[in-house]
Amino acid sequence: MSKEKIQICPEFYDIMPPEYRDLVEQATYGKEGRGWKDIGQSKELIEDHSLCAGCPESMAFRYILASLPNPEDTVMVGSTGCTSLVFPHVAVHNIHSLFGNQNAVASGLKRALSVRFPGRIKDVVVLAGDGATVDIGLDMTLQAWFRQEKFTTICFDNELYANTGGQESGLMRKGFVAKMAPVGKKFEKVRLPEIARESGCAYVVNCTVSKPNLVEKVIRNAVLIAREIGPTYLQLYTPCILEIGKNSMEGLQEMRDSEKPGERFRYYEYVTDSAKQFLAELEAKEKQTAAAAIEG
Amino acid sequence: MTDYRVVPGPEAYFTPSAARMGVVLPEPGEAHIEGVIVPEEKAMEYAARKLLDAKNPTLHPGPLVLWNWNEKAAKKAKAIKVLAECIPARIIPMPDYRPKYPKINPDVEINPNHPNLTIWHNKEDVCLFVGVHCHQANLSLKIIRGGTDCFTIAMCAQAGHEDAMLSFRDATAEKILRLAEWVSKLKGVPFVRPVDEKARGDGGDRYSDNVFVKLADGG
């Protein structure tokens, strides 16, 4: 599928709402070198969102959509949480699964797509909150990794259950007091990146979404490695500014503070040898193509 | 045979599905009017009359005909445009089924999750759905019956809809043009079928099927 597939019948062109005409004319599908810099110029990269003002998750969502290497052939699997309020605005195929089931749904989907479209590249990307990934859906998350299912799992880690008022989650840091967890968390934050590594993920990254270039790179790497080698996992810090008592403008600074050395969201990357080799080959190919383009 | 009639609402907040009330779907060659099975031609005439009598007749094409998926969709789109011009009726699209937040613009689109907003806003008294996937059409038709007094017509490409007040089945471009032909007939004006530009090739005499006949034939 590509932009050619999403044409409006000429008879109805004038009566279609403007955002659909814009989607057909301006969408970045198939565009060479699409990325986060297209945000703000293309409606399909979430022009309006339904999250709170200044929510870092809205930034993360946009970066992810802009960085997908193959958006027209990508299916995203969501779960209950703030992300489910954004998915209706997303011009990429997406499925809303029951709370916690996202990795099980994605496993079946990925397999079905490879049977249905054997000659085509179809990417599956799971995008869920920490409650769905680590608490309610931990079984499904781990089992998908154990089975080496070839898709990317992205966890938007805001360290609590945000849209239900601030309950304790497995990824909440020790000692944190939330509105609905008044005694403070008594246990350490679950170390899911390490668990992902031990469970067989070929590429694992723990970071914030404060740097769009970095997010673009890790999303692209994660999707491409998942396509060729095995499961990949990204844990992205998207703080809930409401639940941690910050203002709309303070989300970015909160992420910057949390990624300093020694902090819980300092950049952490794990890449298997085969994934490293794959990335090196990819880079070499890209350099070759770029050199050929300059010569040509 | 049930006594229940699928008539314009508002029926109730929890509208019972017409199927639950005993309304059954028509067989091929048939249609239903308010839940009563009738021959298709009778329903054609009834639908044409309803559309002509309406103050604000509106056609709601769905994704299956709005988007140029294939030749079949393109032909249906042409036929719907002809029908709209014959009546004349307004066209308000249902481009997709996403539950849009915070709200849709009812002036320019209809959404299956709250179709009543568009019906109310535009004061539609008769509307026709075409090219909407059946499960979304069922949802829309039930909500409209529950909360509005609009007469709903379904031009369904599958087996029809019990929850519409009038439903055709196995819709094709030809069937949509037949309805347009009925509208013209009742208005007492000649009906001119569109030419299939795509099939106009060497000599200009070949047409892909019998739906689009030459203007010169006056068919």
Side-chain angles (χ1 to χ4, degrees), chain A residues 203-208 211 214 217-218 221 258-260 263-271:
Chain A
Y203 183 73
V204 179
V205 168
N206 177 56
C207 65
T208 77
K211 300 182 184 79
L214 179 73
K217 191 186 103 187
V218 299
N221 285 351
S258 308
E259 65 192 3
K260 287 177 182 162
E263 290 294 332
R264 61 201 188 287
F265 287 100
R266 65 195 177 279
Y267 186 79
Y268 165 90
E269 183 184 71
Y270 166 74
V271 196

Side-chain angles (χ1 to χ4, degrees), chain A residues 7 9 11 15 20 88-89, chain B residues 66 68 78 96 98 100-101:
Chain A
Q7 295 301 318
C9 283
E11 287 76 15
I15 52 113
Y20 294 92
H89 301 258
Chain B
L66 287 169
N68 204 350
K78 279 196 179 74
D96 62 30
R98 298 173 299 159
K100 289 189 179 175
Y101 301 115

